[in-house]
PDB file of all heavy atoms in Angstrom:
ATOM      1  N   HIS A  27     230.951 196.674  32.387  1.00  0.00           N
ATOM      2  CA  HIS A  27     230.905 196.898  33.837  1.00  0.00           C
ATOM      3  C   HIS A  27     231.405 198.296  34.173  1.00  0.00           C
ATOM      4  O   HIS A  27     230.836 198.979  35.023  1.00  0.00           O
ATOM      5  CB  HIS A  27     231.763 195.856  34.553  1.00  0.00           C
ATOM      6  CG  HIS A  27     231.179 194.488  34.520  1.00  0.00           C
ATOM      7  ND1 HIS A  27     231.868 193.367  34.909  1.00  0.00           N
ATOM      8  CD2 HIS A  27     229.959 194.054  34.130  1.00  0.00           C
ATOM      9  CE1 HIS A  27     231.104 192.308  34.762  1.00  0.00           C
ATOM     10  NE2 HIS A  27     229.945 192.705  34.284  1.00  0.00           N
ATOM     11  N   PHE A  50     216.963 220.740  41.396  1.00  0.00           N
ATOM     12  CA  PHE A  50     216.818 220.834  39.944  1.00  0.00           C
ATOM     13  C   PHE A  50     218.052 220.292  39.237  1.00  0.00           C
ATOM     14  O   PHE A  50     217.961 219.484  38.311  1.00  0.00           O
ATOM     15  CB  PHE A  50     216.567 222.288  39.560  1.00  0.00           C
ATOM     16  CG  PHE A  50     216.248 222.491  38.116  1.00  0.00           C
ATOM     17  CD1 PHE A  50     214.963 222.346  37.658  1.00  0.00           C
ATOM     18  CD2 PHE A  50     217.250 222.821  37.217  1.00  0.00           C
ATOM     19  CE1 PHE A  50     214.672 222.520  36.327  1.00  0.00           C
ATOM     20  CE2 PHE A  50     216.968 222.983  35.887  1.00  0.00           C
ATOM     21  CZ  PHE A  50     215.677 222.833  35.443  1.00  0.00           C
ATOM     22  N   PHE A  53     218.305 216.413  39.530  1.00  0.00           N
ATOM     23  CA  PHE A  53     217.431 215.652  38.644  1.00  0.00           C
ATOM     24  C   PHE A  53     217.868 215.802  37.191  1.00  0.00           C
ATOM     25  O   PHE A  53     217.802 214.846  36.412  1.00  0.00           O
ATOM     26  CB  PHE A  53     215.977 216.070  38.823  1.00  0.00           C
ATOM     27  CG  PHE A  53     215.485 215.888  40.221  1.00  0.00           C
ATOM     28  CD1 PHE A  53     214.613 216.785  40.803  1.00  0.00           C
ATOM     29  CD2 PHE A  53     215.930 214.818  40.964  1.00  0.00           C
ATOM     30  CE1 PHE A  53     214.186 216.618  42.101  1.00  0.00           C
ATOM     31  CE2 PHE A  53     215.513 214.638  42.267  1.00  0.00           C
ATOM     32  CZ  PHE A  53     214.640 215.543  42.834  1.00  0.00           C
ATOM     33  N   ILE A  56     220.672 213.404  36.685  1.00  0.00           N
ATOM     34  CA  ILE A  56     220.239 212.020  36.477  1.00  0.00           C
ATOM     35  C   ILE A  56     219.661 211.864  35.079  1.00  0.00           C
ATOM     36  O   ILE A  56     219.982 210.918  34.352  1.00  0.00           O
ATOM     37  CB  ILE A  56     219.203 211.620  37.543  1.00  0.00           C
ATOM     38  CG1 ILE A  56     219.837 211.624  38.920  1.00  0.00           C
ATOM     39  CG2 ILE A  56     218.645 210.242  37.259  1.00  0.00           C
ATOM     40  CD1 ILE A  56     218.884 211.315  40.022  1.00  0.00           C
ATOM     41  N   LEU A  57     218.803 212.813  34.695  1.00  0.00           N
ATOM     42  CA  LEU A  57     218.132 212.719  33.401  1.00  0.00           C
ATOM     43  C   LEU A  57     219.142 212.687  32.259  1.00  0.00           C
ATOM     44  O   LEU A  57     219.042 211.869  31.344  1.00  0.00           O
ATOM     45  CB  LEU A  57     217.183 213.920  33.239  1.00  0.00           C
ATOM     46  CG  LEU A  57     216.214 213.869  32.080  1.00  0.00           C
ATOM     47  CD1 LEU A  57     215.263 212.719  32.270  1.00  0.00           C
ATOM     48  CD2 LEU A  57     215.438 215.161  32.006  1.00  0.00           C
ATOM     49  N   VAL A  60     222.745 209.839  33.671  1.00  0.00           N
ATOM     50  CA  VAL A  60     222.387 208.431  33.824  1.00  0.00           C
ATOM     51  C   VAL A  60     221.495 207.995  32.675  1.00  0.00           C
ATOM     52  O   VAL A  60     221.645 206.902  32.120  1.00  0.00           O
ATOM     53  CB  VAL A  60     221.687 208.212  35.182  1.00  0.00           C
ATOM     54  CG1 VAL A  60     221.333 206.756  35.354  1.00  0.00           C
ATOM     55  CG2 VAL A  60     222.573 208.675  36.311  1.00  0.00           C
ATOM     56  N   GLY A  61     220.544 208.863  32.293  1.00  0.00           N
ATOM     57  CA  GLY A  61     219.561 208.466  31.296  1.00  0.00           C
ATOM     58  C   GLY A  61     220.095 208.462  29.888  1.00  0.00           C
ATOM     59  O   GLY A  61     219.693 207.631  29.077  1.00  0.00           O
ATOM     60  N   ILE A  65     223.963 205.543  28.769  1.00  0.00           N
ATOM     61  CA  ILE A  65     223.391 204.639  27.772  1.00  0.00           C
ATOM     62  C   ILE A  65     224.150 204.769  26.452  1.00  0.00           C
ATOM     63  O   ILE A  65     224.453 203.773  25.780  1.00  0.00           O
ATOM     64  CB  ILE A  65     221.899 204.973  27.589  1.00  0.00           C
ATOM     65  CG1 ILE A  65     221.122 204.559  28.825  1.00  0.00           C
ATOM     66  CG2 ILE A  65     221.342 204.310  26.354  1.00  0.00           C
ATOM     67  CD1 ILE A  65     220.971 203.085  28.977  1.00  0.00           C
ATOM     68  N   VAL A  68     227.402 202.953  26.665  1.00  0.00           N
ATOM     69  CA  VAL A  68     227.186 201.518  26.547  1.00  0.00           C
ATOM     70  C   VAL A  68     226.947 201.126  25.089  1.00  0.00           C
ATOM     71  O   VAL A  68     227.517 200.158  24.578  1.00  0.00           O
ATOM     72  CB  VAL A  68     225.994 201.128  27.449  1.00  0.00           C
ATOM     73  CG1 VAL A  68     225.442 199.806  27.033  1.00  0.00           C
ATOM     74  CG2 VAL A  68     226.427 201.070  28.890  1.00  0.00           C
ATOM     75  N   PHE A  69     226.122 201.923  24.422  1.00  0.00           N
ATOM     76  CA  PHE A  69     225.845 201.675  23.007  1.00  0.00           C
ATOM     77  C   PHE A  69     227.135 201.713  22.197  1.00  0.00           C
ATOM     78  O   PHE A  69     227.388 200.848  21.356  1.00  0.00           O
ATOM     79  CB  PHE A  69     224.897 202.764  22.484  1.00  0.00           C
ATOM     80  CG  PHE A  69     223.525 202.271  22.218  1.00  0.00           C
ATOM     81  CD1 PHE A  69     222.750 201.796  23.251  1.00  0.00           C
ATOM     82  CD2 PHE A  69     222.995 202.277  20.951  1.00  0.00           C
ATOM     83  CE1 PHE A  69     221.488 201.335  23.022  1.00  0.00           C
ATOM     84  CE2 PHE A  69     221.730 201.817  20.709  1.00  0.00           C
ATOM     85  CZ  PHE A  69     220.973 201.336  21.746  1.00  0.00           C
ATOM     86  N   LEU A  72     229.161 198.612  22.740  1.00  0.00           N
ATOM     87  CA  LEU A  72     228.610 197.408  22.118  1.00  0.00           C
ATOM     88  C   LEU A  72     228.715 197.453  20.605  1.00  0.00           C
ATOM     89  O   LEU A  72     228.896 196.433  19.958  1.00  0.00           O
ATOM     90  CB  LEU A  72     227.151 197.229  22.522  1.00  0.00           C
ATOM     91  CG  LEU A  72     226.905 196.671  23.907  1.00  0.00           C
ATOM     92  CD1 LEU A  72     225.445 196.392  24.085  1.00  0.00           C
ATOM     93  CD2 LEU A  72     227.694 195.400  24.114  1.00  0.00           C
ATOM     94  N   GLU A  78     232.662 191.011  24.317  1.00  0.00           N
ATOM     95  CA  GLU A  78     232.775 189.744  25.034  1.00  0.00           C
ATOM     96  C   GLU A  78     234.223 189.446  25.404  1.00  0.00           C
ATOM     97  O   GLU A  78     234.496 188.827  26.415  1.00  0.00           O
ATOM     98  CB  GLU A  78     232.227 188.601  24.169  1.00  0.00           C
ATOM     99  CG  GLU A  78     230.820 188.827  23.661  1.00  0.00           C
ATOM    100  CD  GLU A  78     229.811 188.927  24.792  1.00  0.00           C
ATOM    101  OE1 GLU A  78     229.903 188.115  25.718  1.00  0.00           O
ATOM    102  OE2 GLU A  78     228.959 189.820  24.751  1.00  0.00           O
ATOM    103  N   SER A 122     214.508 228.463  44.069  1.00  0.00           N
ATOM    104  CA  SER A 122     213.417 227.701  43.464  1.00  0.00           C
ATOM    105  C   SER A 122     213.651 227.586  41.962  1.00  0.00           C
ATOM    106  O   SER A 122     214.470 228.301  41.380  1.00  0.00           O
ATOM    107  CB  SER A 122     212.086 228.382  43.739  1.00  0.00           C
ATOM    108  OG  SER A 122     212.018 229.583  43.020  1.00  0.00           O
ATOM    109  N   VAL A 123     212.909 226.671  41.340  1.00  0.00           N
ATOM    110  CA  VAL A 123     213.034 226.477  39.904  1.00  0.00           C
ATOM    111  C   VAL A 123     212.642 227.757  39.170  1.00  0.00           C
ATOM    112  O   VAL A 123     213.231 228.121  38.152  1.00  0.00           O
ATOM    113  CB  VAL A 123     212.144 225.297  39.478  1.00  0.00           C
ATOM    114  CG1 VAL A 123     212.198 225.108  37.985  1.00  0.00           C
ATOM    115  CG2 VAL A 123     212.575 224.036  40.169  1.00  0.00           C
ATOM    116  N   ARG A 124     211.664 228.469  39.743  1.00  0.00           N
ATOM    117  CA  ARG A 124     211.207 229.713  39.117  1.00  0.00           C
ATOM    118  C   ARG A 124     212.334 230.732  39.048  1.00  0.00           C
ATOM    119  O   ARG A 124     212.564 231.359  38.018  1.00  0.00           O
ATOM    120  CB  ARG A 124     210.027 230.259  39.926  1.00  0.00           C
ATOM    121  CG  ARG A 124     209.449 231.541  39.394  1.00  0.00           C
ATOM    122  CD  ARG A 124     208.352 232.018  40.321  1.00  0.00           C
ATOM    123  NE  ARG A 124     207.173 231.161  40.242  1.00  0.00           N
ATOM    124  CZ  ARG A 124     206.216 231.334  39.336  1.00  0.00           C
ATOM    125  NH1 ARG A 124     206.293 232.313  38.483  1.00  0.00           N
ATOM    126  NH2 ARG A 124     205.183 230.534  39.305  1.00  0.00           N
TER     127      ARG A 124
ATOM    128  N   GLU B  97     225.806 186.891  33.537  1.00  0.00           N
ATOM    129  CA  GLU B  97     226.476 187.676  34.571  1.00  0.00           C
ATOM    130  C   GLU B  97     225.593 187.617  35.805  1.00  0.00           C
ATOM    131  O   GLU B  97     224.504 188.205  35.827  1.00  0.00           O
ATOM    132  CB  GLU B  97     226.596 189.126  34.112  1.00  0.00           C
ATOM    133  CG  GLU B  97     227.446 189.333  32.903  1.00  0.00           C
ATOM    134  CD  GLU B  97     228.871 189.577  33.297  1.00  0.00           C
ATOM    135  OE1 GLU B  97     229.102 190.057  34.411  1.00  0.00           O
ATOM    136  OE2 GLU B  97     229.756 189.267  32.480  1.00  0.00           O
ATOM    137  N   MET B 130     207.237 218.663  45.948  1.00  0.00           N
ATOM    138  CA  MET B 130     208.584 219.046  45.561  1.00  0.00           C
ATOM    139  C   MET B 130     208.520 220.149  44.524  1.00  0.00           C
ATOM    140  O   MET B 130     207.571 220.221  43.745  1.00  0.00           O
ATOM    141  CB  MET B 130     209.322 217.833  45.000  1.00  0.00           C
ATOM    142  CG  MET B 130     210.765 217.799  45.381  1.00  0.00           C
ATOM    143  SD  MET B 130     211.682 216.468  44.649  1.00  0.00           S
ATOM    144  CE  MET B 130     210.569 215.135  44.499  1.00  0.00           C
ATOM    145  N   ASP B 131     209.561 220.982  44.531  1.00  0.00           N
ATOM    146  CA  ASP B 131     209.583 222.113  43.612  1.00  0.00           C
ATOM    147  C   ASP B 131     209.767 221.637  42.173  1.00  0.00           C
ATOM    148  O   ASP B 131     209.084 222.107  41.259  1.00  0.00           O
ATOM    149  CB  ASP B 131     210.721 223.046  44.028  1.00  0.00           C
ATOM    150  CG  ASP B 131     210.543 224.415  43.434  1.00  0.00           C
ATOM    151  OD1 ASP B 131     209.407 224.728  43.071  1.00  0.00           O
ATOM    152  OD2 ASP B 131     211.532 225.157  43.331  1.00  0.00           O
ATOM    153  N   LEU B 135     210.434 217.171  36.848  1.00  0.00           N
ATOM    154  CA  LEU B 135     211.774 216.751  36.431  1.00  0.00           C
ATOM    155  C   LEU B 135     212.169 215.473  37.145  1.00  0.00           C
ATOM    156  O   LEU B 135     212.776 214.576  36.556  1.00  0.00           O
ATOM    157  CB  LEU B 135     212.766 217.868  36.737  1.00  0.00           C
ATOM    158  CG  LEU B 135     214.050 217.821  35.934  1.00  0.00           C
ATOM    159  CD1 LEU B 135     213.757 218.047  34.485  1.00  0.00           C
ATOM    160  CD2 LEU B 135     215.017 218.839  36.445  1.00  0.00           C
ATOM    161  N   PHE B 136     211.779 215.372  38.433  1.00  0.00           N
ATOM    162  CA  PHE B 136     212.037 214.154  39.206  1.00  0.00           C
ATOM    163  C   PHE B 136     211.398 212.952  38.531  1.00  0.00           C
ATOM    164  O   PHE B 136     212.021 211.895  38.371  1.00  0.00           O
ATOM    165  CB  PHE B 136     211.487 214.330  40.627  1.00  0.00           C
ATOM    166  CG  PHE B 136     211.548 213.092  41.471  1.00  0.00           C
ATOM    167  CD1 PHE B 136     212.719 212.730  42.104  1.00  0.00           C
ATOM    168  CD2 PHE B 136     210.436 212.297  41.630  1.00  0.00           C
ATOM    169  CE1 PHE B 136     212.775 211.591  42.878  1.00  0.00           C
ATOM    170  CE2 PHE B 136     210.479 211.158  42.400  1.00  0.00           C
ATOM    171  CZ  PHE B 136     211.651 210.811  43.029  1.00  0.00           C
ATOM    172  N   PHE B 138     210.628 212.473  35.370  1.00  0.00           N
ATOM    173  CA  PHE B 138     211.339 212.061  34.162  1.00  0.00           C
ATOM    174  C   PHE B 138     212.719 211.506  34.501  1.00  0.00           C
ATOM    175  O   PHE B 138     213.232 210.627  33.803  1.00  0.00           O
ATOM    176  CB  PHE B 138     211.465 213.227  33.189  1.00  0.00           C
ATOM    177  CG  PHE B 138     210.154 213.605  32.567  1.00  0.00           C
ATOM    178  CD1 PHE B 138     209.687 214.898  32.628  1.00  0.00           C
ATOM    179  CD2 PHE B 138     209.383 212.658  31.934  1.00  0.00           C
ATOM    180  CE1 PHE B 138     208.481 215.239  32.067  1.00  0.00           C
ATOM    181  CE2 PHE B 138     208.173 212.992  31.367  1.00  0.00           C
ATOM    182  CZ  PHE B 138     207.722 214.289  31.437  1.00  0.00           C
ATOM    183  N   ALA B 139     213.343 212.034  35.559  1.00  0.00           N
ATOM    184  CA  ALA B 139     214.692 211.578  35.914  1.00  0.00           C
ATOM    185  C   ALA B 139     214.679 210.138  36.400  1.00  0.00           C
ATOM    186  O   ALA B 139     215.541 209.346  36.020  1.00  0.00           O
ATOM    187  CB  ALA B 139     215.291 212.502  36.972  1.00  0.00           C
ATOM    188  N   ALA B 142     214.771 207.398  33.916  1.00  0.00           N
ATOM    189  CA  ALA B 142     216.034 207.081  33.251  1.00  0.00           C
ATOM    190  C   ALA B 142     216.595 205.754  33.735  1.00  0.00           C
ATOM    191  O   ALA B 142     217.302 205.074  33.006  1.00  0.00           O
ATOM    192  CB  ALA B 142     217.040 208.201  33.497  1.00  0.00           C
ATOM    193  N   GLU B 145     215.901 202.467  31.556  1.00  0.00           N
ATOM    194  CA  GLU B 145     216.715 202.122  30.384  1.00  0.00           C
ATOM    195  C   GLU B 145     217.938 201.313  30.794  1.00  0.00           C
ATOM    196  O   GLU B 145     218.281 200.317  30.152  1.00  0.00           O
ATOM    197  CB  GLU B 145     217.155 203.401  29.675  1.00  0.00           C
ATOM    198  CG  GLU B 145     216.009 204.059  28.949  1.00  0.00           C
ATOM    199  CD  GLU B 145     216.175 205.544  28.836  1.00  0.00           C
ATOM    200  OE1 GLU B 145     217.314 206.028  28.823  1.00  0.00           O
ATOM    201  OE2 GLU B 145     215.147 206.235  28.750  1.00  0.00           O
ATOM    202  N   LEU B 146     218.572 201.741  31.891  1.00  0.00           N
ATOM    203  CA  LEU B 146     219.742 200.993  32.354  1.00  0.00           C
ATOM    204  C   LEU B 146     219.352 199.577  32.749  1.00  0.00           C
ATOM    205  O   LEU B 146     220.082 198.615  32.445  1.00  0.00           O
ATOM    206  CB  LEU B 146     220.372 201.711  33.549  1.00  0.00           C
ATOM    207  CG  LEU B 146     221.417 202.764  33.196  1.00  0.00           C
ATOM    208  CD1 LEU B 146     221.969 203.381  34.446  1.00  0.00           C
ATOM    209  CD2 LEU B 146     222.533 202.142  32.388  1.00  0.00           C
ATOM    210  N   PHE B 149     218.886 197.490  29.718  1.00  0.00           N
ATOM    211  CA  PHE B 149     220.169 197.119  29.134  1.00  0.00           C
ATOM    212  C   PHE B 149     220.831 196.012  29.935  1.00  0.00           C
ATOM    213  O   PHE B 149     221.363 195.047  29.366  1.00  0.00           O
ATOM    214  CB  PHE B 149     221.097 198.333  29.055  1.00  0.00           C
ATOM    215  CG  PHE B 149     222.493 197.938  28.688  1.00  0.00           C
ATOM    216  CD1 PHE B 149     222.794 197.612  27.377  1.00  0.00           C
ATOM    217  CD2 PHE B 149     223.474 197.817  29.646  1.00  0.00           C
ATOM    218  CE1 PHE B 149     224.055 197.195  27.035  1.00  0.00           C
ATOM    219  CE2 PHE B 149     224.738 197.402  29.313  1.00  0.00           C
ATOM    220  CZ  PHE B 149     225.027 197.093  28.008  1.00  0.00           C
ATOM    221  N   ARG B 156     223.294 187.100  28.222  1.00  0.00           N
ATOM    222  CA  ARG B 156     224.152 186.433  27.249  1.00  0.00           C
ATOM    223  C   ARG B 156     223.332 185.668  26.218  1.00  0.00           C
ATOM    224  O   ARG B 156     223.509 184.469  26.033  1.00  0.00           O
ATOM    225  CB  ARG B 156     225.123 185.484  27.944  1.00  0.00           C
ATOM    226  CG  ARG B 156     226.132 186.182  28.785  1.00  0.00           C
ATOM    227  CD  ARG B 156     227.035 186.991  27.907  1.00  0.00           C
ATOM    228  NE  ARG B 156     227.722 188.018  28.670  1.00  0.00           N
ATOM    229  CZ  ARG B 156     228.998 187.954  28.993  1.00  0.00           C
ATOM    230  NH1 ARG B 156     229.695 186.952  28.627  1.00  0.00           N
ATOM    231  NH2 ARG B 156     229.557 188.927  29.648  1.00  0.00           N
ATOM    232  N   ILE B 168     216.016 200.220  24.108  1.00  0.00           N
ATOM    233  CA  ILE B 168     216.704 201.443  24.517  1.00  0.00           C
ATOM    234  C   ILE B 168     216.613 202.489  23.413  1.00  0.00           C
ATOM    235  O   ILE B 168     216.344 203.666  23.676  1.00  0.00           O
ATOM    236  CB  ILE B 168     218.161 201.139  24.876  1.00  0.00           C
ATOM    237  CG1 ILE B 168     218.202 200.276  26.133  1.00  0.00           C
ATOM    238  CG2 ILE B 168     218.923 202.403  25.115  1.00  0.00           C
ATOM    239  CD1 ILE B 168     219.538 199.669  26.382  1.00  0.00           C
ATOM    240  N   GLY B 190     203.303 227.763  34.680  1.00  0.00           N
ATOM    241  CA  GLY B 190     204.363 228.485  35.375  1.00  0.00           C
ATOM    242  C   GLY B 190     204.923 227.735  36.553  1.00  0.00           C
ATOM    243  O   GLY B 190     205.483 228.336  37.465  1.00  0.00           O
ATOM    244  N   LEU B 192     206.670 223.616  37.939  1.00  0.00           N
ATOM    245  CA  LEU B 192     207.026 222.222  37.653  1.00  0.00           C
ATOM    246  C   LEU B 192     206.370 221.273  38.649  1.00  0.00           C
ATOM    247  O   LEU B 192     206.557 220.074  38.574  1.00  0.00           O
ATOM    248  CB  LEU B 192     208.535 222.041  37.741  1.00  0.00           C
ATOM    249  CG  LEU B 192     209.378 222.338  36.500  1.00  0.00           C
ATOM    250  CD1 LEU B 192     210.845 222.239  36.832  1.00  0.00           C
ATOM    251  CD2 LEU B 192     209.061 221.373  35.388  1.00  0.00           C
TER     252      LEU B 192
END
Side-chain angles (χ1 to χ4, degrees):
Chain A
H27 289 169
F50 187 85
F53 301 143
I56 295 177
L57 191 64
V60 181
I65 290 288
V68 161
F69 251 64
L72 282 187
E78 306 297 317
S122 69
V123 177
R124 180 183 289 274
Chain B
E97 296 270 334
M130 217 184 327
D131 198 21
L135 202 65
F136 173 81
F138 290 126
E145 288 152 28
L146 271 181
F149 170 76
R156 293 294 161 106
I168 293 167
L192 274 174

